[in-house]
Amino acid sequence: MTQDHQEKSPPPGFVQSHTRGPFSTHNGPFFHKVEGDQFWHGLYIAERHCNSRGRLHGGMMTTFADGLMATAVARANKITAVTISLNCDICSAADIGDWLEGTARQIGLNDGIAYVEAEAWVGGKTIFTASGVFRLLEGKAARKN
């Protein structure tokens, strides 16, 4: 296994995501799982995702939260959206090698503005919760995962 855990298999049902932009691809690898209307994203925490104390960096948490919420909006509306506002509440720490998993859901839509909530966890421990506001981009087809 490499230091970045790239050879470690994800939990059952998760597959590696290949439709992300350059920033997310650089910070991955990310994984996803879809069951009906529900989805989850996952990531093995690597050293490059951490702060100087070896704990998951808050910036990486917000990156993960943004991806979760953008996916929820895209799945709910079948079009792409951009982030207007993102708030991330850090609840606990996560360490190198931990499997970070999360999901999100759109909770409202008004005049092309979507409102979203997300959460992520390691095992049964909540690492962060997040909320966001997204503007739908008319005519921009959404990616599926």
Side-chain angles (χ1 to χ4, degrees), residues 5-140:
H5 307 282
Q6 292 179 350
E7 296 175 11
K8 193 171 183 180
S9 297
F14 281 88
V15 296
Q16 189 168 350
S17 301
H18 294 289
T19 59
R20 295 182 176 260
F23 179 82
S24 295
T25 299
H26 174 76
N27 287 299
F30 289 94
F31 299 87
H32 67 274
K33 176 172 80 170
V34 176
E35 291 179 359
D37 290 339
Q38 295 184 303
F39 77 94
W40 298 264
H41 288 179
L43 170 79
Y44 279 109
I45 299 170
E47 183 177 13
R48 70 178 174 279
H49 302 133
C50 294
N51 60 27
S52 63
R53 295 187 180 118
R55 294 299 191 55
L56 182 61
H57 192 283
M60 188 62 200
M61 290 184 204
T62 57
T63 295
F64 194 80
D66 191 49
L68 286 169
M69 292 189 289
T71 298
V73 172
R75 291 177 60 80
N77 302 287
K78 310 300 184 235
I79 60 173
T80 302
V82 293
T83 311
I84 295 174
S85 174
L86 185 151
N87 183 60
C88 188
D89 295 313
I90 298 170
C91 303
S92 191
D95 299 308
I96 294 172
D98 285 347
W99 172 255
L100 178 69
E101 184 175 325
T103 193
R105 74 211 130 280
Q106 181 174 297
I107 59 170
L109 180 66
N110 186 20
D111 287 333
I113 304 293
Y115 302 88
V116 195
E117 292 180 340
E119 64 270 342
W121 55 89
V122 169
K125 178 176 67 173
T126 300
I127 302 301
F128 69 78
T129 60
S131 59
V133 180
F134 288 71
R135 177 175 301 284
L136 303 182
L137 297 176
E138 295 298 326
K140 299 282 186 179

